[in-house]
Amino acid sequence: MTQPMLFSPLQIRGVRLKNRVVVAPMHQYSAVEGFASDWHLVNAGKYAQGGAGLVIMESTKVARNGCGTVGDTGLWNDGFIPNLARCAAFIKTHGAVAGLQLGHSGRKARLSRPWEGGKPLRGDEPEIFDWDGWELVAPSAVPHTEKSPTPRALSHNEVRDLAAKWGEAAARADAAGFDVLEIHGAHGYLIHQFLSPVANVRTDEYGGSELNRARFAIEVAEAVRAAWPADKPLFMRLSCEDDAGFGPDQSVRLAKLLKAQGVDVIDCSSGGTLGYSPMDGERSKKYGYQVPYAERIRKEADVMTMAVGHIVHADQAEAILQEGRADLTALAREIMYNPNWPMDAAQKLGADPNFDLVPPPYSYWLGKRARSAFEGRPSTWTAGIADRTTTKM
């Protein structure tokens, strides 16, 4: 059988991914004063053990005032490096490439965790640290929603300084052992705020025209690429449709500019500018609802793309690649539901009969069962023991 594209390797600069399954960055909100904890080690580690080619750890903040909640991970000083290095080393030990996303929340900062309501904080809640340093800042003094506090507009020099902080954090990510870096320019966070005509009403060189609003994103990419080793890939996540004035046309034009700055892959997501999630809309009720963005940007901007958004099944992910709609497929909630999704997908596509994708303590026992006369299928194939047929994917 021909090797499925999903489980074929991909070389990007000097880094080789063993397959095209990517664990998308997912906020855990579980750091302690910015420091990654055992939770992060176990969370990222289990995805590496499950066979993913690339594990991208969550949006890690380049400045204290960039933290969205008390549980955000940070990389604004060297003290954060050892804890993240421990995670990167574990990911790599188990055959995956270790990636990290760098971000800044801008006006969507100083909030309680989403399961605690996601509400603006007062400053006297438990776990608060460095409240004064956690100032709410944004491109313009425009609140995220009518109920949100108004941020302070960044000065011209502060904008330039923040771009430099991304570069400094990139150097720390390299020191921590990560081999792929992603810039978070989506979901209504700071870079996306600059891109948005709704959030950015500046009148200087960072506001007004589409190109001016893109200036900060381009300067961040330039600063990161200068600090990040030339042989290591650089990704950037965009909200390719935010329903508020930044859409696919603008994303294609920006992707071309970012490619010129050394960005290798555009991670194609959506939403975040408005007060609701794209998960609340009609689009998100469909499988692969964001894949068309990856397809268009790949074709029109001539840059590699990563598709994400309700990619659930093995044959679905394989078809996205076979049809040339994206170069990588990223999973978030589905791989949270099944951390061994890559292993499971490889079995369904006939790509790994000996379970070589996973570490020996798994491959030995699972391979032994597969070679036995056991009458059944793994639980992911069927709804229950009464269902003896393969479930439709």
Side-chain angles (χ1 to χ4, degrees):
M1 178 179 175
T2 303
Q3 182 77 349
M5 279 192 71
L6 189 61
F7 292 99
S8 63
L10 179 64
Q11 186 82 24
I12 310 176
R13 294 189 183 247
V15 174
R16 182 180 184 273
L17 308 182
K18 67 180 180 182
N19 59 51
R20 316 292 181 96
V21 181
V22 179
V23 179
M26 293 174 276
H27 277 113
Q28 299 298 296
Y29 304 113
S30 299
V32 179
E33 297 192 0
F35 289 91
S37 65
D38 285 350
W39 176 272
H40 298 89
L41 177 69
V42 172
N43 183 66
K46 68 187 178 186
Y47 300 134
Q49 291 175 326
L54 169 60
V55 178
I56 306 178
M57 292 186 65
E58 68 194 79
S59 177
T60 299
K61 301 310 184 290
V62 302
R64 168 61 184 133
N65 61 8
C67 291
T69 75
V70 294
D72 285 31
T73 50
L75 200 48
W76 59 85
N77 66 52
D78 291 352
F80 295 113
I81 293 174
N83 289 32
L84 287 168
R86 182 173 173 236
C87 297
F90 191 86
I91 292 168
K92 292 158 74 170
T93 294
H94 295 291
V97 171
L100 185 70
Q101 188 186 66
L102 294 178
H104 188 295
S105 298
R107 67 181 188 175
K108 293 176 72 173
R110 272 186 170 183
L111 300 174
S112 62
R113 295 177 178 91
W115 53 84
E116 297 166 345
K119 298 178 180 179
L121 297 171
R122 301 179 306 272
D124 58 354
E125 293 87 353
E127 302 181 78
I128 295 290
F129 69 100
D130 189 17
W131 179 255
D132 291 339
W134 199 10
E135 185 185 10
L136 202 65
V137 296
S140 304
V142 178
H144 178 53
T145 69
E146 293 181 356
K147 297 181 179 179
S148 301
T150 300
R152 179 179 65 80
L154 291 159
S155 71
H156 182 275
N157 287 341
E158 286 176 315
V159 175
R160 296 185 68 85
D161 289 346
L162 270 177
K165 287 186 182 299
W166 250 279
E168 294 165 5
R172 295 186 185 108
D174 177 49
F178 291 95
D179 292 317
V180 168
L181 201 61
E182 178 168 279
I183 300 167
H184 199 347
H187 301 167
Y189 297 120
L190 186 66
I191 292 175
H192 187 188
Q193 290 162 29
F194 272 92
L195 294 170
S196 168
V198 171
N200 181 355
V201 295
R202 299 176 73 96
T203 57
D204 65 1
E205 64 183 292
Y206 292 102
S209 70
E210 181 182 319
L211 184 58
N212 277 0
R213 286 183 281 108
R215 191 180 305 278
F216 181 62
I218 295 166
E219 289 183 356
V220 168
E222 183 180 23
V224 170
R225 189 72 269 182
W228 187 240
D231 64 338
K232 292 188 177 185
L234 178 60
F235 292 25
M236 189 158 184
R237 173 166 273 192
L238 298 179
S239 279
C240 301
E241 175 58 84
D242 69 359
D243 301 308
F246 190 86
D249 291 346
Q250 292 80 6
S251 297
V252 168
R253 290 190 286 267
L254 177 58
K256 292 177 180 179
L257 297 172
L258 293 171
K259 180 182 177 182
Q261 294 296 334
V263 173
D264 302 293
V265 178
I266 302 296
D267 178 1
C268 301
S269 190
S270 66
T273 291
L274 303 177
Y276 61 85
S277 166
M279 292 294 292
D280 300 331
E282 285 297 315
R283 285 196 306 270
S284 67
K285 294 180 181 179
K286 303 292 185 181
Y287 281 119
Y289 71 104
Q290 295 173 152
V291 175
Y293 309 137
E295 182 177 15
R296 181 175 173 189
I297 289 173
R298 184 177 190 264
K299 179 180 179 181
E300 297 184 18
D302 189 28
V303 65
M304 286 190 287
T305 61
M306 182 162 73
V308 66
H310 288 337
I311 298 173
V312 174
H313 298 293
D315 60 348
Q316 176 197 7
E318 177 67 9
I320 290 167
L321 299 173
Q322 288 284 355
E323 294 165 7
R325 306 183 74 191
D327 299 275
L328 294 161
T329 56
L331 290 88
R333 288 171 177 84
E334 187 59 27
I335 207 161
M336 187 180 289
Y337 186 81
N338 176 12
N340 292 323
W341 190 94
M343 177 186 74
D344 182 65
Q347 294 303 307
K348 289 174 177 172
L349 295 174
D352 185 26
N354 297 319
F355 290 86
D356 294 328
L357 196 62
V358 294
Y362 294 168
S363 63
Y364 173 79
W365 295 108
L366 292 173
K368 187 173 183 178
R369 184 176 75 169
R371 292 186 296 271
S372 75
F374 173 52
E375 67 172 345
R377 290 275 204 172
S379 60
T380 50
W381 251 279
T382 58
I385 196 167
D387 182 3
R388 295 299 184 101
T389 60
T390 302
T391 55
K392 185 178 179 181
M393 293 194 296

